[in-house]
Amino acid sequence: MSSRQHDPRPSHLSTALSALPSLPSAPSAPSAPSSCGRTALPSRLPDPFSARPPAPQPRQTAAFVTLAGADWLASASRFPSSVHALWAESPGAPLVLPCGGAFDVVSVPALFGRRMLDRLWAGGPGSGPVAAQRGRLLLFAAPGTAQRLPALLTWEEWARAMPPLLCHGTGDAVTVPPLWPAGEDDPTPPANRWLVAPEVRHPWLPDAEVLLWACVRVARATAGRGPTAPGAPVTSTSTLSPR
């Protein structure tokens, strides 16, 4: 009897993904370990300014989701097989998935978010999956981040130098981009696209402390370049987070 383990994923999704001739074979961050597969950080964040070569930054173009990455995204739903079926039928369409289980999401304005990515990849531990969506970046983070990050920013002196952040956790949902980017003949860039796409079944996700570190570094670097938007710097939409 064969010892090969049965793959519970619907075969039609696997077939649909493998049949795409236009997808590149390289991951979104070539020649470097994928940010989505990094091992977990230690409990205390290491010195970000320690001497070490900078990690290559992810490409700032659309990326595609692997089959393992699609499994991870689908695991956020209570009915992952239904998510796979929807993707198999319309793989080029965005999909709404709940937060708080497989991931939380921190939504930041695009310019500030790209500077955060620069910091995370050049002097920090890298990032988890990242999506671009209508002028904002969605940073996929560890569950619980939507609850902790607003509390941490309450005590941070640089918080008012940051633009408004939106934290999505338990009780919230976000729209994730299609599994792969638009074709070469379609408008570029698409409104919703992956910048750092999920590539493994259990991706590494930054926690609240890692994102706070990136936010503070960017705020310090840009504080003298002009005024920032007034008001509360962070808003959590999680039902478990302090308002």
Side-chain angles (χ1 to χ4, degrees):
M1 180 179 297
S2 173
S3 60
R4 184 176 180 180
Q5 196 171 22
H6 174 65
D7 188 347
R9 296 170 296 194
S11 59
H12 45 273
L13 177 60
S14 179
T15 302
L17 289 176
S18 62
L20 294 175
S22 61
L23 292 182
S25 58
S28 58
S31 70
S34 167
S35 66
C36 300
R38 292 180 183 270
T39 55
L41 288 176
S43 57
R44 183 176 297 275
L45 190 65
D47 181 6
F49 298 105
S50 59
R52 58 177 172 176
Q57 299 181 23
R59 283 184 283 179
Q60 299 300 305
T61 56
F64 69 93
V65 179
T66 64
L67 183 58
D71 281 344
W72 172 69
L73 288 171
S75 71
S77 171
R78 294 178 58 190
F79 308 100
S81 60
S82 298
V83 174
H84 279 293
L86 289 172
W87 270 327
E89 181 179 351
S90 302
L95 190 67
V96 177
L97 291 176
C99 302
F103 53 77
D104 281 0
V105 171
V106 177
S107 173
V108 300
L111 180 58
F112 191 84
R114 287 182 181 274
R115 288 171 177 167
M116 286 180 63
L117 287 183
D118 289 342
R119 292 283 175 167
L120 287 168
W121 282 90
S127 71
V130 180
Q133 187 177 94
R134 303 187 183 281
R136 299 184 72 88
L137 295 191
L138 305 182
L139 280 66
F140 285 71
T145 298
Q147 181 180 3
R148 297 200 61 209
L149 185 57
L152 292 175
L153 284 172
T154 299
W155 299 97
E156 176 52 54
E157 61 179 329
W158 286 95
R160 288 203 169 274
M162 304 174 194
L165 311 181
L166 298 176
C167 296
H168 304 284
T170 302
D172 302 321
V174 295
T175 301
V176 300
L179 296 183
W180 57 80
E184 296 181 356
D185 297 333
D186 294 328
T188 303
N192 299 335
R193 66 193 188 281
W194 291 104
L195 296 183
V196 182
E199 298 171 351
V200 296
R201 182 60 178 81
H202 299 287
W204 176 81
L205 298 172
D207 57 19
E209 287 79 4
V210 172
L211 294 182
L212 176 68
W213 172 84
C215 286
V216 170
R217 267 45 178 199
V218 173
R220 286 177 177 175
T222 59
R225 297 181 183 178
T228 57
V234 62
T235 300
S236 174
T237 60
S238 172
T239 55
L240 299 181
S241 301
R243 300 288 178 173

